[in-house]
Amino acid sequence: MATVTPELSKNLINGKWVESTGRQTMPSMNPATGEVLGHVPKSESADVVAAIEAAKAAFEKWRKYPAPRRAEILFHAAELLVEEKENLARLMTQEMGKVLAETRGDVQEAIDMTYFIAGEGRRLRGYTTPSEMPNKAAYCIRVPVGVVGVITPWNFPMAIPSWKIIPALICGNTVVFKPATYTPLVGLRFAQILQEAGLPPGVLNVVTGSGGAVGDALVEHRDVAIISFTGSTETGLGIAQKCGRAGKRVSLEMGGKNAAIVMEDADLDLATDALIWSAFGTSGQRCTDVGPVVSDTQLERVHGYVEVGQKEGARLLVGGRRTAQGTLARGSFYTPTFFDNVQPSMRIAQEEIFGPVTSIIEGKSFEDAVAILNSVEYGLSASIFTRDVNKAMRAVDDLFTGIVYINHGTIGAEVHLPFGGTKNTGNGHREGGLQVLDVFSEWKSVYIDYSGHLQRAQIDKD
Ligand code: NAD
């Protein structure tokens, strides 16, 4: 069992590990066994305010650290993450149930992101451009936004926080991070490693607790300049409304319904392997080795969808029940589930189930399959299996998702490419790639007039 040190039962505020002001705690549970791994603060708005004040004060210094110096700290963090990879993966498996092969991948994603973005510390490029006027220079630079509120889900408890926190830091922002309620220990340990790498106090703060108390206080606070959120569409759109009213920036990664088209000329062995991995990796919450879903609440939600599918007339081919064999009965295990005879309009075909349940829908043609896939309200990723290069390239053009895979399952994004979705999956921002820098920086244009006199043409034009 991974060691949970005493610090990980506290919030991280201004470089110190502190209890919540109300002294309330909440347990972190192992969904495979039901055992309690530790207790973390059940924080309230006063804790969030303290973290925001620390971040606001730290911003004045951190934004002036030369970006290559910020990068050195992040490179060091990446090295520490490499050293700690196995322990982090084991802690993650215990806290949210993904099998070890997958949690190692999750940690590796955070390592990759940290190395990749640290490299940007020596670039963070703006550009120079000719001015309209003689004896005048013009250029633009990136500047940080301010205090960033980071709110994340439990299915990728290190990768997703890293996609937000690391780019926010390299741009010179400071951060208040609220990890998911089911995965606070991984979030705290990640922050602890960043702290050990040399982040000054207050640059990264962590407040654990519920979405309603901690998340909302973060969203509502006027000193938080931007919210970077990943989670369900329902929560994300609620946050977007609040940010909209306050004129606050918001970057959203929300729900998904990733589908694959298998054409009649596909390599079926390849497609089968890839799609089993896509459907049942992270227990369908994103293998054939399937861990538990994250909680009994989530398991009941998944089972509710299975009942809906049966009522709608889909045929249950396999699964559709809690796994109750031996020691598995103690945890939140759900049997991998397949439906066929699924119509595109059924709820199991349209809505996000977020569990190990997959549907087979027959399309009449390539065009029909594309139309079915595009009919869902989400747009994160999609894939097509075919040996026909023309169909593959047409799928790239016609699938309205942020990511398209050819002859590959719907998972496997790499940190140096933009990541994000269309429609109700996102709001136009991207994580990963260099595009993520646009989320966490403002552009500032600079004009330098060295003519020594007032250049009137510019004034006339204005
Ligand atoms: P969720 O929306 O319930 O919670 C996400 C985070 O928001 C948590 O930290 C939660 O505590 C917080 N939160 C809840 N209510 C809040 C409020 N009123 N104000 C502020 N914060 C609040 O989602 P979840 O169940 O943790 O995660 C699963 C969802 O995340 C799925 O819909 C999945 O598709 C989505 N997800 C999307 C991506 C993507 O890249 N698009 C990646 C991973 C997960």
Side-chain angles (χ1 to χ4, degrees), residues 67-122:
R69 172 78 190 104
R70 297 197 288 258
E72 281 169 24
I73 295 172
L74 296 181
F75 273 125
H76 186 36
E79 286 161 2
L80 295 179
L81 290 172
V82 170
E83 282 171 25
E84 276 298 297
K85 179 175 172 180
E86 188 60 22
N87 289 333
L88 285 162
R90 285 181 185 277
L91 177 63
M92 193 186 299
T93 292
Q94 283 168 13
E95 193 171 40
M96 55 74 68
K98 281 196 290 198
V99 296
L100 264 178
E102 291 181 53
T103 54
R104 288 183 187 122
D106 196 311
V107 179
Q108 187 59 45
E109 183 95 0
I111 293 168
D112 293 344
M113 190 65 177
T114 307
Y115 275 125
F116 167 59
I117 288 294
E120 288 310 303
R122 289 202 175 263

Short mmCIF file of all heavy atoms in Angstrom, two decimals, residues 67-122:
data_model
loop_
_atom_site.label_atom_id
_atom_site.label_comp_id
_atom_site.label_asym_id
_atom_site.label_seq_id
_atom_site.Cartn_x
_atom_site.Cartn_y
_atom_site.Cartn_z
N ALA A 67 11.15 33.55 -17.18
CA ALA A 67 10.50 32.28 -17.54
C ALA A 67 11.50 31.11 -17.58
O ALA A 67 11.15 29.99 -17.17
CB ALA A 67 9.77 32.42 -18.88
N PRO A 68 12.77 31.29 -18.04
CA PRO A 68 13.69 30.16 -17.99
C PRO A 68 13.96 29.67 -16.56
O PRO A 68 14.21 28.50 -16.32
CB PRO A 68 14.98 30.71 -18.63
CG PRO A 68 14.49 31.80 -19.52
CD PRO A 68 13.34 32.42 -18.77
N ARG A 69 13.87 30.59 -15.60
CA ARG A 69 14.05 30.19 -14.20
C ARG A 69 12.83 29.38 -13.72
O ARG A 69 12.97 28.38 -13.03
CB ARG A 69 14.26 31.44 -13.34
CG ARG A 69 14.29 31.24 -11.87
CD ARG A 69 15.61 30.68 -11.35
NE ARG A 69 15.49 30.29 -9.96
CZ ARG A 69 15.39 29.03 -9.53
NH1 ARG A 69 15.45 28.03 -10.37
NH2 ARG A 69 15.27 28.77 -8.25
N ARG A 70 11.65 29.84 -14.13
CA ARG A 70 10.44 29.06 -13.79
C ARG A 70 10.58 27.66 -14.40
O ARG A 70 10.21 26.65 -13.79
CB ARG A 70 9.18 29.75 -14.36
CG ARG A 70 8.92 31.12 -13.77
CD ARG A 70 7.49 31.60 -14.01
NE ARG A 70 7.18 31.98 -15.36
CZ ARG A 70 7.09 33.23 -15.83
NH1 ARG A 70 7.32 34.26 -15.01
NH2 ARG A 70 6.77 33.47 -17.07
N ALA A 71 11.12 27.62 -15.60
CA ALA A 71 11.28 26.33 -16.30
C ALA A 71 12.23 25.40 -15.53
O ALA A 71 12.00 24.19 -15.48
CB ALA A 71 11.81 26.57 -17.70
N GLU A 72 13.29 25.96 -14.95
CA GLU A 72 14.24 25.10 -14.21
C GLU A 72 13.53 24.37 -13.08
O GLU A 72 13.78 23.19 -12.82
CB GLU A 72 15.37 25.95 -13.63
CG GLU A 72 16.43 26.31 -14.64
CD GLU A 72 17.39 27.36 -14.10
OE1 GLU A 72 17.53 27.48 -12.87
OE2 GLU A 72 17.97 28.08 -14.92
N ILE A 73 12.64 25.09 -12.39
CA ILE A 73 11.90 24.46 -11.29
C ILE A 73 11.02 23.34 -11.84
O ILE A 73 10.93 22.25 -11.28
CB ILE A 73 11.07 25.52 -10.54
CG1 ILE A 73 12.01 26.53 -9.87
CG2 ILE A 73 10.15 24.88 -9.51
CD1 ILE A 73 11.32 27.73 -9.25
N LEU A 74 10.39 23.61 -12.98
CA LEU A 74 9.49 22.59 -13.55
C LEU A 74 10.28 21.39 -14.09
O LEU A 74 9.84 20.24 -13.97
CB LEU A 74 8.61 23.20 -14.63
CG LEU A 74 7.64 24.27 -14.10
CD1 LEU A 74 6.77 24.82 -15.23
CD2 LEU A 74 6.74 23.72 -12.99
N PHE A 75 11.46 21.64 -14.67
CA PHE A 75 12.29 20.50 -15.10
C PHE A 75 12.65 19.63 -13.88
O PHE A 75 12.62 18.40 -13.95
CB PHE A 75 13.58 20.98 -15.76
CG PHE A 75 13.43 21.24 -17.23
CD1 PHE A 75 13.76 22.47 -17.78
CD2 PHE A 75 12.98 20.25 -18.09
CE1 PHE A 75 13.62 22.71 -19.14
CE2 PHE A 75 12.84 20.48 -19.46
CZ PHE A 75 13.16 21.71 -19.98
N HIS A 76 12.99 20.31 -12.79
CA HIS A 76 13.33 19.55 -11.58
C HIS A 76 12.11 18.75 -11.12
O HIS A 76 12.22 17.59 -10.71
CB HIS A 76 13.82 20.52 -10.49
CG HIS A 76 14.32 19.83 -9.27
ND1 HIS A 76 15.01 18.63 -9.30
CD2 HIS A 76 14.20 20.15 -7.96
CE1 HIS A 76 15.29 18.25 -8.07
NE2 HIS A 76 14.81 19.14 -7.24
N ALA A 77 10.93 19.39 -11.19
CA ALA A 77 9.69 18.68 -10.80
C ALA A 77 9.51 17.43 -11.66
O ALA A 77 9.14 16.37 -11.16
CB ALA A 77 8.49 19.60 -10.96
N ALA A 78 9.78 17.56 -12.96
CA ALA A 78 9.63 16.40 -13.85
C ALA A 78 10.56 15.26 -13.41
O ALA A 78 10.17 14.09 -13.39
CB ALA A 78 9.92 16.80 -15.30
N GLU A 79 11.79 15.63 -13.01
CA GLU A 79 12.73 14.59 -12.55
C GLU A 79 12.21 13.91 -11.28
O GLU A 79 12.30 12.69 -11.14
CB GLU A 79 14.10 15.22 -12.29
CG GLU A 79 14.83 15.58 -13.57
CD GLU A 79 15.95 16.59 -13.36
OE1 GLU A 79 16.19 17.00 -12.21
OE2 GLU A 79 16.55 17.00 -14.37
N LEU A 80 11.66 14.70 -10.37
CA LEU A 80 11.13 14.12 -9.14
C LEU A 80 9.92 13.22 -9.44
O LEU A 80 9.76 12.17 -8.82
CB LEU A 80 10.70 15.22 -8.16
CG LEU A 80 11.83 16.12 -7.62
CD1 LEU A 80 11.26 17.20 -6.69
CD2 LEU A 80 12.86 15.29 -6.88
N LEU A 81 9.13 13.63 -10.42
CA LEU A 81 7.97 12.80 -10.79
C LEU A 81 8.44 11.46 -11.36
O LEU A 81 7.84 10.42 -11.10
CB LEU A 81 7.09 13.53 -11.82
CG LEU A 81 6.31 14.75 -11.30
CD1 LEU A 81 5.65 15.49 -12.47
CD2 LEU A 81 5.26 14.35 -10.28
N VAL A 82 9.53 11.50 -12.13
CA VAL A 82 10.08 10.24 -12.67
C VAL A 82 10.49 9.33 -11.52
O VAL A 82 10.16 8.13 -11.49
CB VAL A 82 11.27 10.52 -13.60
CG1 VAL A 82 11.99 9.23 -13.97
CG2 VAL A 82 10.81 11.25 -14.87
N GLU A 83 11.19 9.92 -10.54
CA GLU A 83 11.63 9.10 -9.38
C GLU A 83 10.45 8.50 -8.63
O GLU A 83 10.51 7.40 -8.12
CB GLU A 83 12.43 9.97 -8.39
CG GLU A 83 13.84 10.24 -8.82
CD GLU A 83 14.51 11.28 -7.91
OE1 GLU A 83 14.10 11.43 -6.74
OE2 GLU A 83 15.43 11.96 -8.40
N GLU A 84 9.37 9.26 -8.55
CA GLU A 84 8.21 8.86 -7.74
C GLU A 84 7.14 8.13 -8.54
O GLU A 84 6.06 7.86 -8.02
CB GLU A 84 7.59 10.11 -7.09
CG GLU A 84 8.25 10.54 -5.81
CD GLU A 84 8.14 9.45 -4.74
OE1 GLU A 84 7.02 9.13 -4.34
OE2 GLU A 84 9.19 8.90 -4.35
N LYS A 85 7.43 7.86 -9.82
CA LYS A 85 6.37 7.37 -10.71
C LYS A 85 5.64 6.15 -10.14
O LYS A 85 4.41 6.11 -10.11
CB LYS A 85 6.97 7.05 -12.08
CG LYS A 85 5.95 6.52 -13.06
CD LYS A 85 6.55 6.32 -14.45
CE LYS A 85 5.56 5.61 -15.34
NZ LYS A 85 6.06 5.38 -16.68
N GLU A 86 6.38 5.17 -9.70
CA GLU A 86 5.74 3.93 -9.25
C GLU A 86 4.88 4.17 -8.01
O GLU A 86 3.74 3.68 -7.92
CB GLU A 86 6.81 2.86 -8.99
CG GLU A 86 6.27 1.48 -8.71
CD GLU A 86 5.42 0.90 -9.86
OE1 GLU A 86 5.55 1.34 -11.02
OE2 GLU A 86 4.61 -0.01 -9.57
N ASN A 87 5.39 4.96 -7.07
CA ASN A 87 4.60 5.24 -5.86
C ASN A 87 3.33 6.01 -6.19
O ASN A 87 2.26 5.76 -5.64
CB ASN A 87 5.42 6.05 -4.84
CG ASN A 87 6.51 5.21 -4.22
OD1 ASN A 87 6.37 3.99 -4.14
ND2 ASN A 87 7.59 5.84 -3.80
N LEU A 88 3.48 6.98 -7.11
CA LEU A 88 2.30 7.77 -7.51
C LEU A 88 1.27 6.88 -8.18
O LEU A 88 0.06 6.99 -7.93
CB LEU A 88 2.74 8.89 -8.46
CG LEU A 88 3.45 10.07 -7.79
CD1 LEU A 88 4.22 10.88 -8.82
CD2 LEU A 88 2.45 10.95 -7.05
N ALA A 89 1.74 5.98 -9.04
CA ALA A 89 0.81 5.09 -9.75
C ALA A 89 0.07 4.20 -8.75
O ALA A 89 -1.14 3.98 -8.86
CB ALA A 89 1.57 4.26 -10.77
N ARG A 90 0.81 3.70 -7.76
CA ARG A 90 0.17 2.80 -6.78
C ARG A 90 -0.86 3.57 -5.94
O ARG A 90 -1.94 3.07 -5.65
CB ARG A 90 1.23 2.15 -5.89
CG ARG A 90 1.96 1.07 -6.64
CD ARG A 90 3.03 0.32 -5.88
NE ARG A 90 3.68 -0.58 -6.81
CZ ARG A 90 3.21 -1.79 -7.15
NH1 ARG A 90 2.13 -2.26 -6.58
NH2 ARG A 90 3.84 -2.54 -8.04
N LEU A 91 -0.49 4.79 -5.55
CA LEU A 91 -1.44 5.61 -4.78
C LEU A 91 -2.70 5.85 -5.61
O LEU A 91 -3.83 5.75 -5.12
CB LEU A 91 -0.78 6.94 -4.40
CG LEU A 91 -1.67 7.94 -3.65
CD1 LEU A 91 -2.12 7.37 -2.30
CD2 LEU A 91 -0.93 9.27 -3.42
N MET A 92 -2.50 6.14 -6.90
CA MET A 92 -3.65 6.43 -7.77
C MET A 92 -4.54 5.19 -7.92
O MET A 92 -5.76 5.28 -7.85
CB MET A 92 -3.15 6.90 -9.13
CG MET A 92 -4.23 7.51 -9.98
SD MET A 92 -3.65 7.90 -11.63
CE MET A 92 -2.35 9.05 -11.34
N THR A 93 -3.92 4.03 -8.12
CA THR A 93 -4.71 2.80 -8.24
C THR A 93 -5.55 2.59 -6.98
O THR A 93 -6.73 2.25 -7.05
CB THR A 93 -3.79 1.59 -8.48
OG1 THR A 93 -3.21 1.74 -9.78
CG2 THR A 93 -4.54 0.28 -8.42
N GLN A 94 -4.90 2.83 -5.83
CA GLN A 94 -5.65 2.64 -4.58
C GLN A 94 -6.78 3.64 -4.44
O GLN A 94 -7.84 3.34 -3.91
CB GLN A 94 -4.71 2.78 -3.39
CG GLN A 94 -3.86 1.56 -3.20
CD GLN A 94 -2.74 1.80 -2.22
OE1 GLN A 94 -2.72 2.79 -1.50
NE2 GLN A 94 -1.78 0.91 -2.20
N GLU A 95 -6.53 4.87 -4.91
CA GLU A 95 -7.52 5.91 -4.64
C GLU A 95 -8.69 5.91 -5.63
O GLU A 95 -9.80 6.29 -5.27
CB GLU A 95 -6.86 7.30 -4.61
CG GLU A 95 -7.78 8.35 -4.02
CD GLU A 95 -7.10 9.68 -3.76
OE1 GLU A 95 -6.28 10.11 -4.58
OE2 GLU A 95 -7.42 10.30 -2.72
N MET A 96 -8.42 5.52 -6.90
CA MET A 96 -9.56 5.60 -7.84
C MET A 96 -9.78 4.35 -8.69
O MET A 96 -10.70 4.31 -9.48
CB MET A 96 -9.49 6.86 -8.71
CG MET A 96 -8.25 7.10 -9.51
SD MET A 96 -8.08 6.05 -10.95
CE MET A 96 -9.43 6.68 -11.95
N GLY A 97 -8.92 3.33 -8.54
CA GLY A 97 -9.28 2.03 -9.08
C GLY A 97 -8.74 1.64 -10.44
O GLY A 97 -8.87 0.49 -10.83
N LYS A 98 -8.14 2.58 -11.20
CA LYS A 98 -7.58 2.15 -12.49
C LYS A 98 -6.49 1.12 -12.24
O LYS A 98 -5.78 1.20 -11.23
CB LYS A 98 -6.95 3.35 -13.23
CG LYS A 98 -7.93 4.24 -13.91
CD LYS A 98 -7.29 5.16 -14.94
CE LYS A 98 -6.43 6.24 -14.37
NZ LYS A 98 -6.20 7.34 -15.33
N VAL A 99 -6.32 0.20 -13.18
CA VAL A 99 -5.28 -0.81 -13.00
C VAL A 99 -3.90 -0.14 -13.14
O VAL A 99 -3.77 0.92 -13.75
CB VAL A 99 -5.44 -1.99 -13.98
CG1 VAL A 99 -6.74 -2.72 -13.72
CG2 VAL A 99 -5.37 -1.52 -15.43
N LEU A 100 -2.88 -0.80 -12.59
CA LEU A 100 -1.54 -0.18 -12.51
C LEU A 100 -0.99 0.23 -13.87
O LEU A 100 -0.37 1.28 -14.00
CB LEU A 100 -0.57 -1.14 -11.84
CG LEU A 100 -0.35 -0.93 -10.34
CD1 LEU A 100 0.60 -1.99 -9.80
CD2 LEU A 100 0.21 0.47 -10.06
N ALA A 101 -1.23 -0.61 -14.88
CA ALA A 101 -0.70 -0.25 -16.21
C ALA A 101 -1.24 1.12 -16.63
O ALA A 101 -0.53 1.92 -17.25
CB ALA A 101 -1.09 -1.31 -17.23
N GLU A 102 -2.48 1.39 -16.28
CA GLU A 102 -3.09 2.66 -16.67
C GLU A 102 -2.66 3.81 -15.77
O GLU A 102 -2.48 4.94 -16.24
CB GLU A 102 -4.61 2.54 -16.64
CG GLU A 102 -5.15 1.65 -17.71
CD GLU A 102 -6.66 1.58 -17.66
OE1 GLU A 102 -7.30 2.63 -17.67
OE2 GLU A 102 -7.19 0.47 -17.57
N THR A 103 -2.52 3.54 -14.47
CA THR A 103 -2.11 4.66 -13.60
C THR A 103 -0.66 5.05 -13.87
O THR A 103 -0.31 6.22 -13.79
CB THR A 103 -2.33 4.34 -12.10
OG1 THR A 103 -1.67 3.13 -11.77
CG2 THR A 103 -3.81 4.24 -11.78
N ARG A 104 0.15 4.07 -14.28
CA ARG A 104 1.53 4.43 -14.68
C ARG A 104 1.47 5.35 -15.91
O ARG A 104 2.23 6.31 -16.02
CB ARG A 104 2.35 3.18 -15.01
CG ARG A 104 2.71 2.38 -13.78
CD ARG A 104 3.60 1.18 -14.13
NE ARG A 104 3.79 0.35 -12.96
CZ ARG A 104 3.45 -0.94 -12.88
NH1 ARG A 104 2.96 -1.58 -13.91
NH2 ARG A 104 3.63 -1.61 -11.75
N GLY A 105 0.55 5.06 -16.79
CA GLY A 105 0.38 5.91 -17.98
C GLY A 105 -0.08 7.31 -17.60
O GLY A 105 0.36 8.30 -18.20
N ASP A 106 -0.95 7.38 -16.62
CA ASP A 106 -1.46 8.68 -16.16
C ASP A 106 -0.31 9.53 -15.60
O ASP A 106 -0.16 10.72 -15.93
CB ASP A 106 -2.53 8.40 -15.09
CG ASP A 106 -3.41 9.60 -14.79
OD1 ASP A 106 -2.87 10.69 -14.57
OD2 ASP A 106 -4.64 9.43 -14.76
N VAL A 107 0.51 8.90 -14.77
CA VAL A 107 1.66 9.63 -14.20
C VAL A 107 2.63 10.02 -15.33
O VAL A 107 3.15 11.14 -15.36
CB VAL A 107 2.39 8.78 -13.14
CG1 VAL A 107 3.58 9.53 -12.57
CG2 VAL A 107 1.44 8.37 -12.02
N GLN A 108 2.84 9.10 -16.26
CA GLN A 108 3.77 9.39 -17.37
C GLN A 108 3.29 10.60 -18.17
O GLN A 108 4.09 11.42 -18.62
CB GLN A 108 3.91 8.17 -18.28
CG GLN A 108 4.97 8.33 -19.35
CD GLN A 108 6.36 8.60 -18.77
OE1 GLN A 108 6.78 7.94 -17.81
NE2 GLN A 108 7.06 9.59 -19.30
N GLU A 109 1.98 10.69 -18.32
CA GLU A 109 1.40 11.83 -19.05
C GLU A 109 1.76 13.15 -18.33
O GLU A 109 2.11 14.15 -18.97
CB GLU A 109 -0.11 11.65 -19.09
CG GLU A 109 -0.85 12.69 -19.86
CD GLU A 109 -1.13 12.31 -21.30
OE1 GLU A 109 -0.76 11.20 -21.71
OE2 GLU A 109 -1.72 13.14 -22.00
N ALA A 110 1.69 13.11 -17.00
CA ALA A 110 2.05 14.32 -16.24
C ALA A 110 3.55 14.62 -16.39
O ALA A 110 3.96 15.78 -16.51
CB ALA A 110 1.69 14.13 -14.76
N ILE A 111 4.37 13.56 -16.43
CA ILE A 111 5.81 13.75 -16.63
C ILE A 111 6.06 14.36 -18.00
O ILE A 111 6.81 15.34 -18.15
CB ILE A 111 6.55 12.40 -16.48
CG1 ILE A 111 6.47 11.91 -15.04
CG2 ILE A 111 8.00 12.51 -16.95
CD1 ILE A 111 6.90 10.46 -14.84
N ASP A 112 5.43 13.79 -19.01
CA ASP A 112 5.62 14.29 -20.38
C ASP A 112 5.20 15.76 -20.48
O ASP A 112 5.89 16.57 -21.11
CB ASP A 112 4.78 13.47 -21.37
CG ASP A 112 5.27 12.03 -21.50
OD1 ASP A 112 6.40 11.74 -21.07
OD2 ASP A 112 4.50 11.19 -22.02
N MET A 113 4.07 16.07 -19.86
CA MET A 113 3.56 17.44 -19.93
C MET A 113 4.54 18.40 -19.24
O MET A 113 4.78 19.51 -19.73
CB MET A 113 2.18 17.50 -19.25
CG MET A 113 1.46 18.79 -19.46
SD MET A 113 1.07 18.96 -21.22
CE MET A 113 0.17 20.48 -21.22
N THR A 114 5.08 17.95 -18.13
CA THR A 114 5.96 18.84 -17.37
C THR A 114 7.26 19.10 -18.14
O THR A 114 7.71 20.25 -18.25
CB THR A 114 6.23 18.23 -15.97
OG1 THR A 114 4.96 17.93 -15.37
CG2 THR A 114 6.97 19.21 -15.08
N TYR A 115 7.84 18.06 -18.72
CA TYR A 115 9.05 18.26 -19.54
C TYR A 115 8.72 19.15 -20.75
O TYR A 115 9.46 20.07 -21.09
CB TYR A 115 9.60 16.93 -20.05
CG TYR A 115 10.52 16.23 -19.08
CD1 TYR A 115 10.29 14.91 -18.68
CD2 TYR A 115 11.67 16.87 -18.57
CE1 TYR A 115 11.15 14.26 -17.79
CE2 TYR A 115 12.52 16.22 -17.68
CZ TYR A 115 12.26 14.92 -17.30
OH TYR A 115 13.10 14.29 -16.43
N PHE A 116 7.62 18.83 -21.42
CA PHE A 116 7.27 19.56 -22.65
C PHE A 116 7.09 21.05 -22.36
O PHE A 116 7.68 21.91 -23.03
CB PHE A 116 6.00 18.95 -23.25
CG PHE A 116 5.37 19.79 -24.33
CD1 PHE A 116 6.07 20.13 -25.48
CD2 PHE A 116 4.07 20.25 -24.21
CE1 PHE A 116 5.49 20.91 -26.48
CE2 PHE A 116 3.48 21.03 -25.20
CZ PHE A 116 4.20 21.36 -26.33
N ILE A 117 6.29 21.34 -21.34
CA ILE A 117 5.97 22.75 -21.08
C ILE A 117 7.15 23.47 -20.44
O ILE A 117 7.37 24.67 -20.70
CB ILE A 117 4.70 22.85 -20.21
CG1 ILE A 117 3.47 22.46 -21.06
CG2 ILE A 117 4.52 24.23 -19.62
CD1 ILE A 117 3.14 23.40 -22.20
N ALA A 118 7.95 22.76 -19.65
CA ALA A 118 9.14 23.41 -19.08
C ALA A 118 10.03 23.93 -20.22
O ALA A 118 10.64 25.00 -20.12
CB ALA A 118 9.90 22.44 -18.19
N GLY A 119 10.08 23.17 -21.31
CA GLY A 119 10.87 23.60 -22.47
C GLY A 119 10.41 24.94 -23.02
O GLY A 119 11.20 25.69 -23.61
N GLU A 120 9.13 25.24 -22.82
CA GLU A 120 8.61 26.52 -23.33
C GLU A 120 9.11 27.72 -22.53
O GLU A 120 8.97 28.86 -22.97
CB GLU A 120 7.07 26.50 -23.34
CG GLU A 120 6.50 25.60 -24.41
CD GLU A 120 7.11 25.87 -25.77
OE1 GLU A 120 7.04 27.01 -26.24
OE2 GLU A 120 7.70 24.93 -26.35
N GLY A 121 9.68 27.46 -21.35
CA GLY A 121 10.22 28.56 -20.56
C GLY A 121 11.31 29.33 -21.30
O GLY A 121 11.55 30.51 -21.05
N ARG A 122 12.00 28.67 -22.21
CA ARG A 122 13.04 29.36 -22.99
C ARG A 122 12.50 29.87 -24.33
O ARG A 122 13.25 30.36 -25.16
CB ARG A 122 14.25 28.45 -23.22
CG ARG A 122 15.02 28.25 -21.95
CD ARG A 122 16.45 27.83 -22.15
NE ARG A 122 17.09 27.78 -20.85
CZ ARG A 122 17.83 28.78 -20.35
NH1 ARG A 122 18.04 29.87 -21.04
NH2 ARG A 122 18.36 28.66 -19.16
#
